[in-house]
């Protein structure tokens, strides 16, 4: 839970259209280190804490260390995999471990059925790789705002 002072600050931030994202924590999970580095460089321009992971088995540990506002989640981790099943499985776990964390799915295999399934499973949004810088920033910012607002309400 937030201290009352922090709650008041967040409430003020949420009223302001350009609220402060400095307290937002984002985890990026992808098996491609180049994608991780690129996303980290882009997102660090707007968010205070951007953590990169290549191992999906480390996600629970990082979520247990403290609240995370947004997870940018790749859908496939096994070489040659394109089904998105691994990402959907992890999406369900993230929603269970940290219900107020918003999950943005991203994959190079952006088929409509997997995107629809991810949204039904609780993903905030879906971005197809390669993403445009502004689209990535806007999507993660919207997810962060939603995470902050739902957390504030609870």
């Amino acid at each position: 839970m937030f201290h009352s002072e922090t709650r008041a600050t967040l409430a003020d931030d949420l009223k302001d259209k350009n609220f402060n994202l400095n307290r937002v924590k984002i985890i990026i999970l992808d098996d491609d280190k180049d994608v991780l580095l690129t996303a980290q460089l882009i997102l660090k321009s707007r968010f205070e804490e951007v953590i990169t992971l290549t191992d999906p088995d480390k996600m629970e540990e990082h979520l247990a260390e403290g609240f995370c506002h947004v997870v940018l989640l790749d859908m496939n981790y096994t070489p040659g995999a394109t089904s998105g099943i691994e990402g959907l499985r992890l999406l369900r776990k993230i929603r269970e471990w940290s219900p107020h964390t918003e999950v943005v799915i991203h994959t190079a295999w952006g088929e409509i059925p997997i995107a629809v399934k991810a949204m039904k499973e609780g993903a905030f949004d879906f971005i197809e790789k390669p993403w445009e810088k502004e689209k990535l920033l806007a999507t993660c910012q919207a997810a962060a705002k939603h995470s902050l607002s739902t957390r504030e309400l609870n």
Side-chain angles (χ1 to χ4, degrees), residues 79-95:
T82 60
S83 69
I85 298 300
E86 295 166 308
L88 287 172
R89 197 174 298 134
L90 190 53
L91 169 62
R92 285 183 211 111
K93 289 181 180 178
I94 292 168
R95 301 300 299 153

Side-chain angles (χ1 to χ4, degrees), residues 1-79:
M1 261 317 169
F2 292 110
H3 293 98
S4 59
E5 180 178 300
T6 304
R7 289 179 70 80
T9 302
L10 276 177
D12 292 341
D13 285 349
L14 291 169
K15 289 175 190 169
D16 180 6
K17 288 183 204 172
N18 300 312
F19 72 91
N20 188 351
L21 295 173
N22 287 339
R23 293 181 301 273
V24 172
K25 177 180 175 181
I26 295 182
I27 297 176
I28 309 166
L29 179 59
D30 200 297
D31 59 322
D32 184 331
K33 291 183 180 180
D34 291 333
V35 169
L36 286 174
L37 178 60
T38 303
Q40 183 180 37
L41 289 171
I42 291 170
L43 295 172
K44 282 184 89 170
S45 69
R46 297 252 175 97
F47 303 100
E48 181 179 309
E49 190 173 1
V50 180
I51 297 167
T52 60
L53 301 174
T54 57
D55 183 355
D57 293 333
K58 301 284 185 186
M59 182 60 71
E60 183 177 18
E61 175 185 325
H62 278 274
L63 290 174
E65 288 176 1
F67 184 74
C68 174
H69 298 87
V70 179
V71 171
L72 184 60
L73 180 66
D74 189 21
M75 295 297 284
N76 300 294
Y77 302 99
T78 304

